[in-house]
Amino acid sequence: MTLKINISVMLLIFSFLFLPVTQAQRIQTEFDVLLVAEGLQFPWGMAFMPNGNLLVTEKIGQLRIITPDGRVSEPIKGIPAVLVQQQGGLLDIALDPEFSKNRLIYLSYSEPEGSRASTAVARAELKDGNLENLQVIFRQWPKTEGGVHFGSRLIFASDGNLFITLGDRGDYSEEAQQLSNHIGKIIRIRPDGTVPSDNPFVNNPKAKPEIWSYGHRSVQGAAIHPKSGELWIHEHGPKGGDEINIPQPGKNYGWPKASYGNHYNDIPIKNEHAEQGFEEPIHYWTPSIAPSGMVFYTGKQFPGWRDNLFIGTLAGRHLVRLTTDNKKITNKEKLLINTLRFRDVEQGPDGALYLLTDEENGKLLKLTPK
């Protein structure tokens, strides 16, 4: 049975610094925070199935099914081998647009090869609690040392193509600026791993044809805008400079030559994007909030939140609600302040918001109207 938990159970939402807010935007919204399930091992990504059950990845390399009443399954068999190190492990999950017919799911994970690793994406059929006919459809190249900055979110566009967000693997030598590799890139492929003919670099023999955009650091949030159909992402900056971008085909977003943050050793990074030929983010945070997970809300339970953008934060330990106007952020609010590290946020088929907490005893939480 779903239980209430004591995390600011009733919140009065109001504007938090930074941006002007109208009187209408100060209207209080009250909601309950419900505990659906707990005991998850560093949960990372989630995807709702048509029957209302939820697939949840655990970074330690396990995949589970959680029922609407909070029952957690045994780990699903057939998961590929993953590197569980620092930020590496089993990461995101997505359902095929034709899941009801083909039972295909997609997993992103850190794939080891000796002492090296990179982000890979595999798809498989989910049958009777097992994964069958697993096929790796993408491998980030090259594999490198280290356990950080794998990305990685999976999101299907309305045209049926799959976006894969990647990281720079902790590389600061401008590999994210090179089209000859997948370091620090957004990838666009077909569900079977082949390359769409209209990808921006498909006719460039010196470029990886899967690349959609480049110059990214570590992208852990992605969502399709409900009206424009465009891909929105957010990415981690270093010491400050977390960004929201709307990556356009073939465009360069600057990392590591431009950022609104400093390197960890406090050496400044140029923030002049345009003068260097880079795209400006539509929004950024300094100091860093460490964003993770991202969804546009389109449900009916919270009419005042329709088309708002929700982002979980790790270092920030709160949930962000953003209002938008076209390609601009017009207001932002903090919810569940100073509570937990939120790894992912998703809208359920019931119109509620669901959150995964980033911890050894990870929780699945549910936000419903008071």
Side-chain angles (χ1 to χ4, degrees), residues 9-160:
V9 172
M10 183 174 72
L11 292 177
L12 302 182
I13 302 175
F14 50 89
S15 176
F16 274 85
L17 309 177
F18 311 118
L19 292 174
V21 61
T22 66
Q23 184 64 36
Q25 291 169 322
R26 292 193 184 98
I27 296 174
Q28 294 176 352
T29 300
E30 299 178 354
F31 58 86
D32 286 330
V33 182
L34 309 177
L35 175 63
V36 180
E38 58 185 338
L40 303 168
Q41 299 296 301
F42 293 100
W44 211 95
M46 55 180 161
F48 280 95
M49 293 190 287
N51 63 3
N53 287 346
L54 182 65
L55 287 162
V56 175
T57 61
E58 295 174 304
K59 197 174 71 170
I60 63 170
Q62 296 182 158
L63 175 64
R64 297 181 186 269
I65 297 174
I66 301 178
T67 62
D69 61 359
R71 288 175 291 138
V72 181
S73 76
E74 292 297 313
I76 290 173
K77 297 179 181 179
I79 301 298
V82 305
L83 172 75
V84 182
Q85 178 184 336
Q86 294 176 274
Q87 297 171 7
L90 184 59
L91 303 173
D92 207 16
I93 182 169
L95 268 59
D96 190 277
E98 300 293 326
F99 175 80
S100 296
K101 298 177 181 178
N102 59 30
R103 302 292 294 178
L104 287 174
I105 67 167
Y106 297 74
L107 298 169
S108 65
Y109 57 100
S110 52
E111 181 185 55
E113 185 178 280
S115 64
R116 296 171 174 259
S118 68
T119 303
V121 176
R123 73 173 183 177
E125 297 176 60
L126 178 63
K127 291 184 176 180
D128 301 322
N130 297 307
L131 295 186
E132 299 180 3
N133 303 317
L134 186 134
Q135 172 194 12
V136 178
I137 61 170
F138 173 79
R139 286 184 168 99
Q140 183 184 29
W141 186 88
K143 282 183 163 50
T144 63
E145 303 283 350
V148 299
H149 298 186
F150 291 95
S152 161
R153 292 293 172 187
L154 303 174
I155 189 83
F156 277 97
S158 57
D159 62 5

Side-chain angles (χ1 to χ4, degrees), residues 118-119 138-142 165-169 175-176 178-187 207-211 213 216:
S118 68
T119 303
F138 173 79
R139 286 184 168 99
Q140 183 184 29
W141 186 88
T165 75
L166 299 175
D168 69 355
R169 296 292 287 113
E175 289 299 315
Q178 308 304 316
L179 295 174
S180 58
N181 63 59
H182 297 128
I183 302 297
K185 310 299 193 295
I186 303 296
I187 299 302
K208 291 294 184 185
E210 301 90 353
I211 296 173
S213 61
H216 302 285

Side-chain angles (χ1 to χ4, degrees), residues 135-313:
Q135 172 194 12
V136 178
I137 61 170
F138 173 79
R139 286 184 168 99
Q140 183 184 29
W141 186 88
K143 282 183 163 50
T144 63
E145 303 283 350
V148 299
H149 298 186
F150 291 95
S152 161
R153 292 293 172 187
L154 303 174
I155 189 83
F156 277 97
S158 57
D159 62 5
N161 288 314
L162 176 64
F163 284 111
I164 305 167
T165 75
L166 299 175
D168 69 355
R169 296 292 287 113
D171 187 289
Y172 296 90
S173 63
E174 300 187 11
E175 289 299 315
Q177 290 292 309
Q178 308 304 316
L179 295 174
S180 58
N181 63 59
H182 297 128
I183 302 297
K185 310 299 193 295
I186 303 296
I187 299 302
R188 179 178 181 251
I189 57 175
R190 295 191 183 101
D192 63 359
T194 57
V195 178
S197 60
D198 58 347
N199 268 13
F201 300 111
V202 73
N203 295 317
N204 183 342
K206 296 182 179 180
K208 291 294 184 185
E210 301 90 353
I211 296 173
W212 178 258
S213 61
Y214 62 113
H216 302 285
R217 187 169 180 267
S218 189
V219 183
Q220 292 190 15
I224 299 297
H225 193 283
K227 293 181 178 178
S228 71
E230 288 184 301
L231 174 69
W232 287 46
I233 64 166
H234 64 61
E235 56 189 284
H236 288 242
K239 206 169 183 180
D242 300 336
E243 297 180 0
I244 295 179
N245 287 298
I246 308 174
Q248 300 299 305
K251 297 297 185 180
N252 185 343
Y253 290 82
W255 180 255
K257 289 188 172 183
S259 173
Y260 284 97
N262 292 343
H263 287 298
Y264 291 120
N265 59 7
D266 287 322
I267 294 177
I269 306 171
K270 278 189 175 183
N271 59 19
E272 296 88 355
H273 291 67
E275 73 173 26
Q276 300 182 75
F278 307 139
E279 303 300 307
E280 288 279 357
I282 68 165
H283 188 73
Y284 67 90
W285 288 269
T286 297
S288 173
I289 60 171
S292 189
M294 183 178 190
V295 69
F296 282 98
Y297 182 76
T298 59
K300 296 181 179 180
Q301 288 213 34
F302 295 99
W305 289 356
R306 289 294 299 272
D307 298 331
N308 288 183
L309 184 62
F310 287 84
I311 296 172
T313 74

